[in-house]
Amino acid sequence: LLAVVLSIVIMLGWYQFFAPTPPKQNAPTTKTIVQTPAAAPTTAPATASLTAPAPAVADRKLTVESPLYIATFDTRGANLVSLKLKRYKQTMDKNSPLVDVVKAPMPHVSLEGGFDDRAAQFTTAAPDKLNIANGQTELAFETTLPSGLKLRKVFTLNAKDYLLGFKTEYVNVGAVPLKVNPQVALAASYPLDE
């Protein structure tokens, strides 16, 4: 059992870091800065602060179930907080809990100017529970910062394999140009095992 779990961890790691680069339209991180014209000239500062908005609603947990896994997401930070493998238990005992390969919320996005998404509250139109028996589905979360920057985190989940897709989208809906230097942290944010 340990050898099977380690093999899966190695395969997930291999696909995470050495998988072929997907076509441009499926790039894992997309920087899109859109400037919308202001209705009238303003005296706004040359740059706006990229700080997290104050949480307005309570955290929500969303569960996506496939034949292979149960994934749990949290709207606080729009992070994957649990990925339980249905075919693998922690021990040989019949009542043993499933193996959970995520030990800390992931992925974490930070932006130049001090924004850290771990405290940001995201919204989603997705229901609290999703079942995917075949094919794939996208789970999108978004938040808008006081600076006018809209951040979207989109996860792609497949029913037939363990690969989880992830991309971020950035859109400036404010009147002030923004300098965005996004950083997505994976390895330091979610150790697969302790």
Side-chain angles (χ1 to χ4, degrees):
L1 178 66
L2 181 59
V4 172
V5 172
L6 287 175
S7 297
I8 290 173
V9 169
I10 290 170
M11 287 187 338
L12 288 173
W14 179 266
Y15 283 112
Q16 180 66 35
F17 296 106
F18 300 109
T21 306
K24 281 201 174 220
Q25 68 268 20
N26 294 332
T29 302
T30 306
K31 292 183 194 178
T32 307
I33 305 298
V34 177
Q35 179 71 34
T36 55
T42 63
T43 58
T47 60
S49 172
L50 294 176
T51 57
V57 294
D59 295 355
R60 221 176 110 206
K61 298 275 195 264
L62 291 85
T63 303
V64 179
E65 189 166 349
S66 84
L68 299 174
Y69 57 83
I70 302 168
T72 304
F73 295 85
D74 191 344
T75 55
R76 166 103 34 221
N79 289 319
L80 175 66
V81 295
S82 174
L83 182 63
K84 294 180 180 175
L85 307 179
K86 288 182 163 182
R87 296 182 181 174
Y88 302 98
K89 296 190 176 219
Q90 293 178 7
T91 67
M92 297 300 288
D93 182 15
K94 179 180 169 184
N95 297 323
S96 177
L98 299 175
V99 170
D100 190 346
V101 296
V102 175
K103 302 295 183 193
M106 60 70 77
H108 158 63
V109 175
S110 61
L111 302 174
E112 185 174 299
F115 173 76
D116 182 328
D117 76 349
R118 288 179 275 202
Q121 185 63 44
F122 286 74
T123 59
T124 182
D128 289 347
K129 294 188 184 285
L130 282 168
N131 285 310
I132 51 172
N134 54 34
Q136 69 180 25
T137 190
E138 282 193 349
L139 186 58
F141 298 88
E142 71 177 46
T143 190
T144 302
L145 307 181
S147 63
L149 181 69
K150 183 184 292 185
L151 169 61
R152 282 188 87 222
K153 293 171 83 171
V154 182
F155 296 86
T156 304
L157 301 111
N158 297 294
K160 305 276 185 204
D161 59 41
Y162 294 102
L163 295 178
L164 300 175
F166 174 70
K167 68 180 177 180
T168 56
E169 299 171 353
Y170 310 92
V171 178
N172 184 1
V173 295
V176 178
L178 298 172
K179 182 177 181 182
V180 178
N181 183 18
Q183 296 179 358
V184 178
L186 296 173
S189 295
Y190 73 106
L192 292 176
D193 208 341
E194 296 179 41

